[in-house]
PDB file of all heavy atoms in Angstrom:
ATOM      1  N   ASP A1429      -5.761 -29.746  22.767  1.00  0.00           N
ATOM      2  CA  ASP A1429      -7.036 -29.990  23.249  1.00  0.00           C
ATOM      3  C   ASP A1429      -7.598 -31.352  22.732  1.00  0.00           C
ATOM      4  O   ASP A1429      -8.129 -32.247  23.482  1.00  0.00           O
ATOM      5  CB  ASP A1429      -8.073 -28.937  22.920  1.00  0.00           C
ATOM      6  CG  ASP A1429      -7.932 -27.662  23.611  1.00  0.00           C
ATOM      7  OD1 ASP A1429      -6.979 -27.652  24.542  1.00  0.00           O
ATOM      8  OD2 ASP A1429      -8.604 -26.712  23.462  1.00  0.00           O
ATOM      9  N   ALA A1458      -2.361 -48.400  32.395  1.00  0.00           N
ATOM     10  CA  ALA A1458      -3.008 -47.348  31.620  1.00  0.00           C
ATOM     11  C   ALA A1458      -2.233 -46.710  30.573  1.00  0.00           C
ATOM     12  O   ALA A1458      -2.731 -46.359  29.533  1.00  0.00           O
ATOM     13  CB  ALA A1458      -3.508 -46.244  32.608  1.00  0.00           C
ATOM     14  N   TYR A1469      -5.807 -42.347  16.962  1.00  0.00           N
ATOM     15  CA  TYR A1469      -6.409 -41.085  16.426  1.00  0.00           C
ATOM     16  C   TYR A1469      -5.538 -40.424  15.357  1.00  0.00           C
ATOM     17  O   TYR A1469      -6.043 -39.971  14.335  1.00  0.00           O
ATOM     18  CB  TYR A1469      -6.565 -40.150  17.659  1.00  0.00           C
ATOM     19  CG  TYR A1469      -6.825 -38.713  17.280  1.00  0.00           C
ATOM     20  CD1 TYR A1469      -8.138 -38.356  16.877  1.00  0.00           C
ATOM     21  CD2 TYR A1469      -5.812 -37.735  17.260  1.00  0.00           C
ATOM     22  CE1 TYR A1469      -8.361 -36.997  16.487  1.00  0.00           C
ATOM     23  CE2 TYR A1469      -6.092 -36.419  16.958  1.00  0.00           C
ATOM     24  CZ  TYR A1469      -7.350 -36.105  16.504  1.00  0.00           C
ATOM     25  OH  TYR A1469      -7.616 -34.811  16.132  1.00  0.00           O
ATOM     26  N   HIS A1474      -4.995 -38.752   9.913  1.00  0.00           N
ATOM     27  CA  HIS A1474      -3.894 -38.214   9.131  1.00  0.00           C
ATOM     28  C   HIS A1474      -3.418 -39.217   8.065  1.00  0.00           C
ATOM     29  O   HIS A1474      -2.330 -39.821   8.220  1.00  0.00           O
ATOM     30  CB  HIS A1474      -2.669 -37.868  10.003  1.00  0.00           C
ATOM     31  CG  HIS A1474      -2.949 -36.730  10.963  1.00  0.00           C
ATOM     32  ND1 HIS A1474      -3.696 -37.024  12.167  1.00  0.00           N
ATOM     33  CD2 HIS A1474      -2.767 -35.411  11.059  1.00  0.00           C
ATOM     34  CE1 HIS A1474      -3.859 -35.863  12.868  1.00  0.00           C
ATOM     35  NE2 HIS A1474      -3.359 -34.951  12.198  1.00  0.00           N
ATOM     36  N   LEU A1500      -4.724 -50.898 -29.001  1.00  0.00           N
ATOM     37  CA  LEU A1500      -4.070 -52.221 -29.161  1.00  0.00           C
ATOM     38  C   LEU A1500      -4.998 -53.431 -29.025  1.00  0.00           C
ATOM     39  O   LEU A1500      -4.617 -54.522 -29.256  1.00  0.00           O
ATOM     40  CB  LEU A1500      -2.935 -52.304 -28.121  1.00  0.00           C
ATOM     41  CG  LEU A1500      -1.879 -51.284 -28.235  1.00  0.00           C
ATOM     42  CD1 LEU A1500      -0.863 -51.408 -27.018  1.00  0.00           C
ATOM     43  CD2 LEU A1500      -1.103 -51.435 -29.545  1.00  0.00           C
ATOM     44  N   ASP A1529      -5.707 -47.280  -3.158  1.00  0.00           N
ATOM     45  CA  ASP A1529      -6.068 -47.536  -1.787  1.00  0.00           C
ATOM     46  C   ASP A1529      -5.321 -48.733  -1.281  1.00  0.00           C
ATOM     47  O   ASP A1529      -5.332 -49.788  -1.943  1.00  0.00           O
ATOM     48  CB  ASP A1529      -7.559 -47.647  -1.578  1.00  0.00           C
ATOM     49  CG  ASP A1529      -8.330 -46.415  -1.885  1.00  0.00           C
ATOM     50  OD1 ASP A1529      -7.746 -45.313  -1.695  1.00  0.00           O
ATOM     51  OD2 ASP A1529      -9.521 -46.471  -2.294  1.00  0.00           O
ATOM     52  N   PRO A1530      -4.752 -48.684  -0.089  1.00  0.00           N
ATOM     53  CA  PRO A1530      -4.042 -49.880   0.535  1.00  0.00           C
ATOM     54  C   PRO A1530      -5.003 -50.945   0.815  1.00  0.00           C
ATOM     55  O   PRO A1530      -6.183 -50.698   1.248  1.00  0.00           O
ATOM     56  CB  PRO A1530      -3.324 -49.282   1.774  1.00  0.00           C
ATOM     57  CG  PRO A1530      -4.220 -48.085   2.092  1.00  0.00           C
ATOM     58  CD  PRO A1530      -4.676 -47.491   0.801  1.00  0.00           C
ATOM     59  N   ASP A1546      -7.950 -64.555   6.860  1.00  0.00           N
ATOM     60  CA  ASP A1546      -7.648 -63.154   6.365  1.00  0.00           C
ATOM     61  C   ASP A1546      -6.253 -63.180   5.704  1.00  0.00           C
ATOM     62  O   ASP A1546      -5.465 -64.100   5.866  1.00  0.00           O
ATOM     63  CB  ASP A1546      -7.713 -62.093   7.415  1.00  0.00           C
ATOM     64  CG  ASP A1546      -9.048 -61.987   8.063  1.00  0.00           C
ATOM     65  OD1 ASP A1546     -10.061 -62.305   7.340  1.00  0.00           O
ATOM     66  OD2 ASP A1546      -9.210 -61.622   9.259  1.00  0.00           O
ATOM     67  N   SER A1564       6.248 -55.356  25.872  1.00  0.00           N
ATOM     68  CA  SER A1564       4.918 -54.892  26.334  1.00  0.00           C
ATOM     69  C   SER A1564       4.470 -55.686  27.449  1.00  0.00           C
ATOM     70  O   SER A1564       4.152 -56.848  27.410  1.00  0.00           O
ATOM     71  CB  SER A1564       3.950 -54.981  25.101  1.00  0.00           C
ATOM     72  OG  SER A1564       2.684 -54.645  25.608  1.00  0.00           O
ATOM     73  N   ARG A1580       0.733 -71.647  22.414  1.00  0.00           N
ATOM     74  CA  ARG A1580       1.522 -72.226  21.429  1.00  0.00           C
ATOM     75  C   ARG A1580       1.352 -71.524  20.068  1.00  0.00           C
ATOM     76  O   ARG A1580       2.336 -71.196  19.437  1.00  0.00           O
ATOM     77  CB  ARG A1580       1.382 -73.757  21.260  1.00  0.00           C
ATOM     78  CG  ARG A1580       2.241 -74.333  20.221  1.00  0.00           C
ATOM     79  CD  ARG A1580       2.100 -75.827  20.191  1.00  0.00           C
ATOM     80  NE  ARG A1580       2.863 -76.422  19.054  1.00  0.00           N
ATOM     81  CZ  ARG A1580       2.987 -77.705  18.781  1.00  0.00           C
ATOM     82  NH1 ARG A1580       2.239 -78.564  19.547  1.00  0.00           N
ATOM     83  NH2 ARG A1580       3.631 -78.154  17.836  1.00  0.00           N
ATOM     84  N   SER A1602      -6.773 -78.251  11.187  1.00  0.00           N
ATOM     85  CA  SER A1602      -6.891 -77.477   9.949  1.00  0.00           C
ATOM     86  C   SER A1602      -6.403 -76.047  10.127  1.00  0.00           C
ATOM     87  O   SER A1602      -6.337 -75.557  11.252  1.00  0.00           O
ATOM     88  CB  SER A1602      -8.376 -77.496   9.492  1.00  0.00           C
ATOM     89  OG  SER A1602      -9.148 -76.668  10.348  1.00  0.00           O
ATOM     90  N   ASN A1612      -9.421 -66.018  18.641  1.00  0.00           N
ATOM     91  CA  ASN A1612      -9.910 -66.009  20.007  1.00  0.00           C
ATOM     92  C   ASN A1612      -8.914 -65.566  21.045  1.00  0.00           C
ATOM     93  O   ASN A1612      -9.174 -64.804  21.974  1.00  0.00           O
ATOM     94  CB  ASN A1612     -10.433 -67.424  20.321  1.00  0.00           C
ATOM     95  CG  ASN A1612     -11.680 -67.843  19.561  1.00  0.00           C
ATOM     96  OD1 ASN A1612     -12.419 -66.994  19.067  1.00  0.00           O
ATOM     97  ND2 ASN A1612     -11.951 -69.159  19.531  1.00  0.00           N
ATOM     98  N   GLY A1622      -8.185 -53.144  26.482  1.00  0.00           N
ATOM     99  CA  GLY A1622      -9.373 -52.276  26.283  1.00  0.00           C
ATOM    100  C   GLY A1622      -9.676 -51.825  24.956  1.00  0.00           C
ATOM    101  O   GLY A1622     -10.325 -50.813  24.756  1.00  0.00           O
TER     102      GLY A1622
END
Side-chain angles (χ1 to χ4, degrees):
D1429 286 1
Y1469 166 79
H1474 295 79
L1500 301 172
D1529 290 335
D1546 297 334
S1564 173
R1580 177 177 178 180
S1602 70
N1612 289 341

